[in-house]
Amino acid sequence: VYIADLDAITGKPPNSAVITQLATEHPHLRFIVDRGLEAHTQVADLLEHSNIDLVVASETLVSIDEYRVLRARLPAHRCLLSLDRNGEVLLGPPALFADSQLWPTQVIHMNLALVGSDSGPDWCGLIALTQRAAGRDVIAAGGVRDDADLQRLAQMDVAAVLVGTALHDGRIDGA
């Protein structure tokens, strides 16, 4: 279950209590939490739950140094990197996009321009990222419309997909 804590991302108090309650009540589920981490963000409350992994989103980072501080604070197996873009514009330190050696084992390709757009995933961006991922799991985010998109992403060896709008409006069901 992917949770974007929009309150925390926009500078309001995080929804830690709700998230940790969900993790406690559903220990068989994995929760991937994006709360707009910065170098000083407190995460101990979430890391106490072994079924919560944390996203480091490139759009919130001001430098590679900040990224390195965050990576050092998070267990490697519980850290995902979201390489964020808005259309063709890369959001975050350019070096983070350029140097795949900096990436953890799971990388999200997030194109914010496509979230909720019903226009399909960023196929070109995903192809480029999967070619550079070198054995890492690539997770697609933004624009997934239907089962055909899911099938094409599976053929591209995308490991997982973040789907919102198409689930909400019923074009894709839980099955």
Side-chain angles (χ1 to χ4, degrees):
V1 176
Y2 177 85
I3 299 173
D5 186 343
L6 297 178
D7 287 338
I9 290 170
T10 59
K12 298 175 186 163
N15 291 290
S16 299
V18 172
I19 294 168
T20 56
Q21 180 180 351
L22 285 168
T24 300
E25 292 177 3
H26 303 281
H28 59 287
L29 292 178
R30 175 182 180 218
F31 293 89
I32 300 171
V33 177
D34 182 350
R35 65 177 350 176
L37 297 181
E38 296 174 336
H40 65 276
T41 305
Q42 298 302 313
V43 294
D45 56 336
L46 298 179
L47 290 176
E48 289 177 4
H49 299 268
S50 62
N51 59 336
I52 296 178
D53 295 337
L54 297 172
V55 174
V56 175
S58 67
E59 71 174 324
T60 65
L61 302 172
V62 295
S63 69
I64 286 294
D65 290 337
E66 183 178 26
Y67 173 71
R68 287 188 172 116
V69 167
L70 276 167
R71 284 293 310 272
R73 291 181 51 219
L74 301 175
H77 67 284
R78 296 183 59 194
C79 177
L80 294 87
L81 171 63
S82 183
L83 290 172
D84 302 327
R85 59 179 62 221
N86 191 353
E88 296 299 316
V89 178
L90 304 179
L91 304 175
L96 189 55
F97 291 83
D99 187 356
S100 62
Q101 295 301 314
L102 296 170
W103 302 349
T105 60
Q106 297 177 82
V107 180
I108 300 170
H109 179 280
M110 174 74 74
N111 195 325
L112 296 166
L114 298 177
V115 173
S117 70
D118 195 31
S119 59
D122 178 358
W123 300 112
C124 292
L126 282 162
I127 289 168
L129 184 63
T130 56
Q131 289 173 346
R132 296 182 54 229
R136 293 169 180 84
D137 289 338
V138 172
I139 300 168
V144 174
R145 300 167 289 195
D146 52 30
D147 289 337
D149 284 348
L150 293 176
Q151 291 173 8
R152 183 172 173 192
L153 290 165
Q155 292 169 350
M156 292 171 55
D157 290 328
V158 169
V161 182
L162 303 181
V163 180
T165 304
L167 279 171
H168 290 293
D169 66 20
R171 284 178 285 145
I172 296 175
D173 62 26

